[in-house]
Amino acid sequence: MPEGDTVYRSARSLDEALHGTTLTRCDIRVPAFATVDLTGQTVHEVISRGKHLVAHVGETSIHSHLKMEGTWHLYRHGTKWQRPAFQARIVLEAADWVAVGFELGTLELFPTPDDEQHLGYLGPDLLGPDWDATEAVRRLAGEGERPVAVALGDQRNLSGLGNVYVNELCFLRGLLPTRPVTEVTDLHGLVALAHRLITANRDRSERTTTGNLRRGMRTFVYGRERQPCRRCGTRIRSGQLGRSELEQRVTYWCPRCQT
């Protein structure tokens, strides 16, 4: 699933292409909004909020979430799309660019004043201009006995972290993913590291938490089940964590470095 840095880059690219332009075509291929036509409306901005992307067009917000397979592409007019047309959920055209949202997990439209009603539940945005580390720590601290990996991935606590960052953060801080939040002694340090990591990657097309961009060397534990730990050589383990379907996630950890 795309994480906050990926969505941040998508929003920035869309904003650079469409900001201040007038839509010459609007084709929404989701039944609930198929009759909505924003042609002639001005694109005021495209922003990210955690793992959510919002385009403000006229007085309407176009809210999308990429989920597992979604992506936004930009094309010059007449350029062949890189994905089949039947996967397109929305097409927005302006004078110079065509923006296409493919296989978006969520696509909905609502009046812009209702942004907070739909997205206000999100915790502080790690890549947002109003990032609030103190509030993120406060929300995490209220998670009690919840496993730290689940609490970090809950977008209501801080928004932008997906499974890659959650697993890597737990490793870097020496935390077993199942450790209760109440037993994490330095939540401030954990949140500060989360902010540094995702900020360092927001301008890269290839994410790394190790500082090494070579293929196969970009993570410490994520996706490395049964491979040796880069620090101690112990085999990385993997398992499922979370009680509910919403909480369930694949976790990776080093049984020696993480306690």
Side-chain angles (χ1 to χ4, degrees):
M1 179 181 291
E3 311 208 8
D5 48 1
T6 302
V7 179
Y8 174 89
R9 287 192 300 276
S10 293
R12 183 176 60 188
S13 296
L14 289 169
D15 189 66
E16 289 173 351
L18 300 177
H19 189 116
T21 64
T22 299
L23 293 184
T24 57
R25 180 187 175 212
C26 174
D27 180 7
I28 303 174
R29 303 176 183 183
V30 174
F33 304 101
T35 60
V36 177
D37 187 1
L38 300 177
T39 300
Q41 300 292 311
T42 300
V43 180
H44 300 300
E45 63 178 353
V46 183
I47 61 173
S48 62
R49 291 190 61 174
K51 296 194 285 185
H52 300 255
L53 190 148
V54 183
H56 292 137
V57 181
E59 298 180 355
T60 300
S61 291
I62 303 173
H63 167 229
S64 61
H65 192 295
L66 305 183
K67 295 290 179 73
M68 293 297 292
E69 304 295 335
T71 183
W72 280 90
H73 288 190
L74 280 168
Y75 299 100
R76 291 293 188 181
H77 289 278
T79 302
K80 184 179 179 180
W81 294 358
Q82 295 176 3
R83 296 182 67 164
F86 73 84
Q87 293 181 355
R89 300 293 178 262
I90 184 170
V91 182
L92 301 174
E93 294 189 12
D96 297 323
W97 291 97
V98 179
V100 188
F102 294 100
E103 292 194 304
L104 303 173
T106 296
L107 179 63
E108 59 180 350
L109 280 69
F110 45 78
T112 296
D114 293 346
D115 275 13
E116 286 306 303
Q117 177 182 330
H118 290 266
L119 300 171
Y121 71 92
L122 293 170
D125 181 357
L126 282 153
L127 292 176
D130 55 350
W131 162 243
D132 187 341
T134 301
E135 176 61 14
V137 170
R138 186 192 70 80
R139 295 191 183 203
L140 282 173
E143 289 294 286
E145 297 299 312
R146 203 175 187 195
V148 63
V150 174
L152 283 171
D154 189 332
Q155 302 301 295
R156 295 171 297 183
N157 293 325
L158 64 169
S159 55
L161 298 181
N163 221 23
V164 177
Y165 281 117
V166 166
N167 280 276
E168 294 295 284
L169 282 165
C170 286
F171 173 81
L172 289 166
R173 299 297 294 183
L175 303 171
L176 201 63
T178 53
R179 187 190 291 193
V181 174
T182 53
E183 296 180 14
V184 179
T185 57
D186 186 10
L187 286 175
H188 288 276
L190 178 62
V191 167
L193 180 57
H195 185 242
R196 290 199 303 274
L197 271 184
I198 199 168
T199 300
N201 281 292
R202 70 181 182 183
D203 297 322
R204 295 174 177 151
S205 59
E206 299 293 346
R207 179 187 303 119
T208 178
T209 56
T210 63
N212 192 329
L213 287 169
R214 292 174 58 192
R215 184 180 296 275
M217 300 295 293
R218 296 169 187 157
T219 62
F220 285 103
V221 292
Y222 183 83
R224 301 191 63 243
E225 183 181 9
R226 299 195 180 109
Q227 296 182 47
C229 174
R230 300 195 194 282
R231 285 182 176 171
C232 71
T234 304
R235 297 290 177 181
I236 300 299
R237 294 183 184 175
S238 175
Q240 290 281 346
L241 178 64
R243 292 169 294 183
S244 70
E245 184 177 348
L246 288 175
E247 291 181 333
Q248 284 180 359
R249 61 186 65 245
V250 178
T251 55
Y252 300 88
W253 71 95
C254 171
R256 183 174 180 181
C257 294
Q258 295 171 254
T259 61

